[in-house]
Amino acid sequence: MSTPKYTYWLKSGIYSGLQKAAVLLFGIGSVLVLTRSLTKSEMGVWNLFLLFAGIIEIIRQSLIKNSVIKYINSHSHEEHPGIQSAALAINAAVTLLIGVLLAAFIYPAGAMLNAPELSQIIYIFLPGLLLLIPFSHFEWLQNAHADFRGIFWAYSLRQGLSFLLIVLHLLTAREISLVNLVWYYNAGIAAGAIVSFVFARKFLHAGLSFSRAWVKKLWHFGKYVFGTNISSSIFRNTDQVVVASMVSTSAVALYGVCIRISNLVDVPSQVLGDILFPKSARMMESGNLEGVKYYYEKAVGVILALAVPASLVIMLLPKLVLSIIAGKEYAEAAAILQVTIFYGLFLPFIKQFGTIMDSIGQPKVNFIVITFTAAFNIVSCVTLSRLTGVMGAAYGSMLSYGVCLIITQVILIRKLKINPVNVWKYMFRFYPEMIRILKQRFMLKPVAK
C-alpha cells in the first residue's frame, strides 16, 4: 500500500499540534478564570503584560531559532557544536540586553499606556526572563531535529503549572493579584526548562565550541528575521497598544479576549509553520523550487480546511462564544470578535509566506514586506480609532492584513509561480483524504475467514 499523502504532516504535526493546542487551551482556561476574578482594568494590564512577554519571546526567537534550524539541517554533524554554542551565546547576550532595557524603560511605558501597575509586574518577571535562556535553547535544538515531543511536554508543564497554581490560589484565597500571576508565570518557565532539558540532552554536545564565524553567520541570517518579527509584532499588536493609549485598559480587556479566541483558529498555521520550515529548507538546498511551491500550497490549503469551519461558527455566534469563554459582560465585544476572526483567515497565506522566504534564504524580502505593512498598520489603526474608537483599531488591522495579503501573493506568484487556485483545491481535497486516512487507521478491518 502506498504511503498516504498526508503521512508526513500527520506524523510531524501530532506533537507540534498538541503543543500549540495545549498553550492556547491553557490560555483560554486562564481567560475563563481571570475574567471572573479580576476587574476589567486589571485584566487589561495583564493582557498588556502578556503582550510584552510575547514580544520579548518573539525578539529572542527571531534572532536565533530559524538560523539554528536552517544551518543544522544543511550542515554536517561535525559543525553542530559550533552552531549550538553560537546560538547559546547570542541567546544569552540578547536576553540580558532586553532585561536591562526593560528595567530602564518600563516605567514610562506603563504611564504612556495608562497602566502604572505594569512596571511592578515587569520587574518581577525579570528572573523568568533569565530562565527563558535555557528553556528556548533546548526548544530550538528539538525544533531543528524535528523532534516535537519534548517541546509539547515542556510547554504543557509550563502553561499547565501556571494555570494550576492560579486555580489553587483562587480556591484557597478567592482573590488573586497581578503580582501572584507573574510569580506563577515564572514558576511555569522554570518547570518547562527542566523538562525541555531532559528531552533535548541527546542533541547537546559536550563542551562549548565557540566560533566567531558561526556567531557572525547566525547573526547575519537572523538579523532580517529579527527585523521581520519586530515588524510583525508591531503589526499584530498595534491595535491593542492604540486601544490602551487612546481608550482605556478596560477596552484592552475586551479586545484582548477577542484576540485570544482568534488565536485558537490560528493553531494550524503555527503547527504547519514549524513543520514546513525544515522541509522547505532541505528542498531549497537541493534546488527543488517546485517542491517548495507544492509545500506552500499544500500547507495553506490544509490550514484553511481546519480554520474556515471554526471561523464560520465563531462569526455566526460571537456573543455565545464570548459569554461562554469570558462571561456575559464581555459579550459587548461581539463585533470586534467578528472582525478579528475574519482577518484571521488571511494569516495562513501571510505566515507561510514568511516561512517560505526564510527557508529559501530570502529573509530580507519578508522583512521589507512586513515592515511596510507594520508602518501602514500604525497609520490605519490610529486614524480609524480616532474616528470610531475601539472598532477603528479592528478595522485598521483588517485593512492592513488585506494589503499584506495582496503583496505577499504577488511576490510568491513571481518568485515561485504559486497558484492561489491550488490552495483552495488542496483545501477541499483535504476532507475526503482525511476521512480515508482515519478509516484506514481507526476503523476495524474485517476478520479474515
Side-chain angles (χ1 to χ4, degrees):
M1 182 183 294
S2 61
T3 303
K5 290 181 191 176
Y6 293 91
T7 298
Y8 170 75
W9 307 101
L10 287 171
K11 184 178 179 181
S12 301
I14 288 173
Y15 279 109
S16 181
L18 288 173
Q19 177 247 315
K20 297 293 192 301
V23 169
L24 282 172
L25 287 174
F26 281 123
I28 291 295
S30 297
V31 171
L32 282 166
V33 173
L34 295 179
T35 50
R36 293 163 172 83
S37 306
L38 301 176
T39 65
K40 280 186 180 178
S41 179
E42 289 173 327
M43 192 67 193
V45 174
W46 181 243
N47 281 332
L48 288 173
F49 166 76
L50 294 178
L51 186 152
F52 270 84
I55 291 174
I56 288 167
E57 294 210 42
I58 287 171
I59 289 171
R60 297 169 59 262
Q61 286 191 23
S62 61
L63 277 170
I64 311 158
K65 179 181 176 180
N66 282 5
S67 54
V68 170
I69 295 172
K70 178 177 176 62
Y71 289 124
I72 281 183
N73 279 282
S74 60
H75 286 76
S76 65
H77 187 75
E78 290 73 22
E79 298 280 2
H80 291 185
I83 297 171
Q84 288 189 21
S85 299
L88 184 58
I90 297 172
N91 185 356
V94 170
T95 304
L96 290 172
L97 177 60
I98 290 172
V100 171
L101 293 174
L102 277 177
F105 295 107
I106 194 58
Y107 182 80
M112 183 190 74
L113 295 171
N114 301 313
E117 305 96 329
L118 186 62
S119 57
Q120 180 187 7
I121 60 177
I122 286 290
Y123 286 131
I124 296 172
F125 168 63
L126 292 177
L129 178 63
L130 295 178
L131 289 169
L132 284 173
I133 297 173
F135 181 93
S136 55
H137 184 68
F138 302 143
E139 176 195 352
W140 300 335
L141 289 181
Q142 292 172 84
N143 266 127
H145 292 86
D147 187 345
F148 300 104
R149 188 164 60 110
I151 299 173
F152 161 68
W153 288 113
Y155 271 96
S156 294
L157 182 59
R158 174 181 169 178
Q159 304 296 128
L161 179 63
S162 298
F163 179 69
L164 178 62
L165 290 171
I166 290 170
V167 172
L168 290 175
H169 184 109
L170 287 170
L171 288 174
T172 54
R174 299 193 178 276
E175 291 183 357
I176 194 165
S177 70
L178 294 172
V179 170
N180 297 137
L181 292 179
V182 180
W183 280 119
Y184 298 152
Y185 189 89
N186 289 345
I189 297 173
I194 294 169
V195 171
S196 193
F197 167 74
V198 172
F199 285 93
R201 59 185 174 180
K202 60 186 174 184
F203 303 124
L204 294 169
H205 291 271
L208 295 176
S209 177
F210 183 78
S211 166
R212 187 172 294 180
W214 271 117
V215 170
K216 286 182 67 176
K217 192 173 288 190
L218 265 64
W219 179 266
H220 179 71
F221 183 90
K223 66 184 180 183
Y224 288 117
V225 182
F226 169 73
T228 299
N229 285 343
I230 290 292
S231 298
S232 180
S233 294
I234 294 171
F235 190 2
R236 296 203 67 173
N237 298 305
T238 293
D239 44 10
Q240 293 188 72
V241 173
V242 168
V243 169
S245 59
M246 297 182 66
V247 187
S248 67
T249 52
S250 297
V252 176
L254 294 172
Y255 206 98
V257 167
C258 295
I259 295 297
R260 289 286 191 92
I261 296 171
S262 300
N263 285 343
L264 283 172
V265 181
D266 192 39
V267 170
S269 188
Q270 298 175 38
V271 171
L272 290 187
D274 286 344
I275 299 168
L276 182 61
F277 186 87
K279 193 75 174 177
S280 57
R282 293 190 197 107
M283 287 282 183
M284 186 61 190
E285 287 297 319
S286 63
N288 187 0
L289 285 178
E290 184 63 29
V292 176
K293 169 183 178 295
Y294 165 77
Y295 277 113
Y296 172 84
E297 294 171 348
K298 172 67 73 66
V300 177
V302 170
I303 294 165
L304 289 175
L306 298 170
V308 168
S311 297
L312 288 174
V313 171
I314 295 171
M315 280 193 282
L316 290 172
L317 301 169
K319 288 187 177 181
L320 177 62
V321 173
L322 283 164
S323 296
I324 292 172
I325 292 177
K328 291 183 179 179
E329 64 270 25
Y330 282 79
E332 63 183 289
I336 299 172
L337 180 59
Q338 287 176 315
V339 175
T340 58
I341 283 291
F342 176 74
Y343 69 65
L345 294 176
F346 301 167
L347 284 175
F349 297 91
I350 296 170
K351 281 193 170 184
Q352 304 314 315
F353 164 82
T355 300
I356 290 297
M357 288 297 105
D358 289 348
S359 67
I360 66 175
Q362 296 192 26
K364 187 176 181 180
V365 175
N366 193 26
F367 167 69
I368 293 170
V369 171
I370 299 300
T371 300
F372 168 77
T373 47
F376 182 89
N377 194 40
I378 293 172
V379 175
S380 62
C381 283
V382 170
T383 302
L384 294 176
S385 291
R386 285 176 175 169
L387 296 174
T388 57
V390 178
M391 284 303 302
Y395 289 134
S397 292
M398 183 174 68
L399 177 60
S400 302
Y401 277 107
V403 169
C404 190
L405 174 65
I406 293 169
I407 294 172
T408 55
Q409 291 305 292
V410 169
I411 292 172
L412 285 171
I413 290 169
R414 290 181 176 177
K415 285 187 174 291
L416 295 176
K417 310 300 180 187
I418 295 293
N419 185 350
V421 175
N422 289 342
V423 170
W424 300 102
K425 287 181 181 177
Y426 288 125
M427 172 185 161
F428 288 109
R429 288 177 187 173
F430 175 81
Y431 301 114
E433 283 289 341
M434 284 306 300
I435 292 171
R436 181 176 66 83
I437 291 170
L438 291 172
K439 283 182 177 180
Q440 288 178 350
R441 288 177 176 269
F442 299 113
M443 288 187 68
L444 294 174
K445 295 181 180 180
V447 180
K449 294 183 179 180

